């Protein structure tokens, strides 16, 4: 019982550290710091697995409410808009961005528009504001809140490079996933009905969700050959003369 209580407290402590690191804006490299905490948690799980024998029914019985919808601030939405604009301007760069998935976006509409752009790219079609508009119309993405004029404006104001904005979006998704994983593990440790081995098994499964995104993050941030397009690779944008046109997208500001 003493060993079991110690294992529970240890897992909870590391989960809390993971959650804190994933939401700490002060660090110079939040993704690296968060993944370091995830590695530390993984090492703890490996150590504990050698101390407790497996048994049938090794998954936690704890129910959790699922992922909390990510809240979209104006900065996050602006980054997603700028990715769509730069991807339309520099589609050759998009061919190398298979590490970015629709699930990484906060706004479902932006995720759907990203899929429209990448569909054009992977088919080898011409990519420009007109063809993106056509693809969006084909998938019935236009609404009263997003008119053809709104969409044309959205994808016609590039700044920087697609990789730069894509990495920002992916990093936000990585940190959000880390926080979700930490909350799930904390919920397991709070349930006294879970045995130590159930805690270990459930925590490992939760951590695997983060590791899947880590793989894509590593692909995104690995050095790649210089692009042949005119877009500067992974460059921050130059200051713009004024704020971008922002269509009225108030209907769906959380991730599905």
């Amino acid at each position: 019982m003493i060993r079991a209580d110690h294992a529970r407290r240890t897992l909870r402590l590391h989960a809390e550290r993971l959650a804190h690191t994933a939401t700490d804006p002060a660090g110079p490299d939040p993704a690296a710091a968060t993944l370091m905490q995830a590695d530390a948690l993984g090492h703890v799980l490996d150590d504990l697995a050698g101390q407790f024998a497996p048994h049938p029914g090794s998954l936690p019985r704890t129910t959790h409410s699922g992922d909390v919808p990510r809240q979209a601030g104006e900065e996050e939405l602006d980054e997603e808009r700028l990715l769509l604009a730069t991807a339309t301007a520099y589609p050759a760069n998009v061919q190398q961005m298979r590490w970015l998935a629709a699930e990484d976006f906060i706004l479902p509409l932006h995720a759907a528009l990203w899929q429209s752009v990448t569909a054009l790219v992977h088919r080898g079609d011409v990519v420009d504001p007109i063809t993106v508009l056509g693809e969006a119309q084909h998938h019935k993405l236009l609404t009263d809140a997003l008119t053809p004029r709104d969409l044309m404006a959205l994808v016609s104001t590039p700044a920087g490079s697609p990789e730069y904005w894509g990495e920002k979006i992916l990093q936000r998704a990585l940190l959000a996933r880390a926080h979700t994983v930490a909350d799930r593990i904390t919920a397991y440790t709070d349930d006294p009905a879970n045995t130590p081995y159930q805690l270990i098994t459930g925590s490992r499964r939760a951590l695997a969700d983060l590791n899947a995104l880590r793989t894509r993050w590593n692909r995104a941030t690995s050095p790649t050959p210089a692009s042949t397009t005119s877009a500067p690779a992974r460059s921050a944008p130059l200051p713009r003369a004024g704020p971008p046109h922002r269509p009225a997208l108030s209907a769906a500001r959380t991730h599905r």
Side-chain angles (χ1 to χ4, degrees):
M1 183 178 296
I2 293 176
R3 288 195 304 130
D5 287 343
H6 175 71
R8 191 181 304 274
R9 289 194 303 270
T10 300
L11 278 179
R12 182 182 177 86
L13 175 63
H14 279 80
E16 289 174 344
R17 287 176 180 171
L18 178 60
H20 173 75
T21 305
T23 55
D24 182 9
D29 192 343
T34 297
L35 292 175
M36 186 177 300
Q37 287 296 335
D39 287 339
L41 177 56
H43 292 320
V44 168
L45 289 169
D46 289 342
D47 289 341
L48 292 176
Q51 300 176 30
F52 298 94
H55 55 77
S58 57
L59 289 177
R61 300 184 180 90
T62 308
T63 58
H64 55 86
S65 57
D67 295 353
V68 177
R70 295 165 59 194
Q71 298 301 311
E74 199 57 42
E75 180 181 356
E76 291 85 351
L77 294 178
D78 215 12
E79 290 172 356
E80 294 184 358
R81 296 184 191 106
L82 286 166
L83 170 65
L84 295 170
T86 53
T88 301
Y90 306 108
N93 296 48
V94 175
Q95 190 69 38
Q96 310 303 319
M97 293 176 62
R98 295 179 184 271
W99 38 264
L100 188 66
E103 67 197 49
D104 301 325
F105 289 75
I106 296 178
L107 194 67
L109 174 60
H110 290 166
L113 290 172
W114 171 249
Q115 290 176 314
S116 294
V117 173
T118 56
L120 290 169
V121 170
H122 297 321
R123 290 201 305 260
D125 293 346
V126 172
V127 181
D128 58 30
I130 296 295
T131 57
V132 173
L133 172 61
E135 191 74 7
Q137 288 175 322
H138 175 70
H139 292 286
K140 298 180 172 57
L141 300 181
L142 300 182
T143 65
D144 291 341
L146 182 71
T147 67
R149 181 177 179 179
D150 290 332
L151 179 56
M152 290 287 287
L154 189 154
V155 298
S156 299
T157 55
S161 68
E163 295 94 337
Y164 176 80
W165 299 115
E167 286 183 18
K168 279 187 165 292
I169 292 167
L170 183 57
Q171 176 173 279
R172 290 188 189 279
L174 176 74
L175 298 179
R177 180 74 58 81
H179 193 276
T180 297
V181 166
D183 285 347
R184 190 181 307 171
I185 294 174
T186 299
Y188 292 156
T189 63
D190 286 345
D191 186 348
N194 289 321
T195 67
Y197 200 77
Q198 285 175 322
L199 294 178
I200 294 166
T201 304
S203 298
R204 278 179 160 173
R205 288 205 172 191
L207 204 56
D209 290 342
L210 176 59
N211 288 335
L213 210 157
R214 178 209 292 259
T215 298
R216 292 196 285 117
W217 173 252
N218 288 339
R219 287 168 56 194
T221 55
S222 297
T224 55
S227 173
T228 57
T229 69
S230 58
R234 292 177 170 81
S235 63
L238 296 174
R240 291 178 291 174
H245 174 75
R246 292 183 178 128
L249 300 177
S250 57
R253 290 195 169 236
T254 57
H255 190 279
R256 50 190 169 82

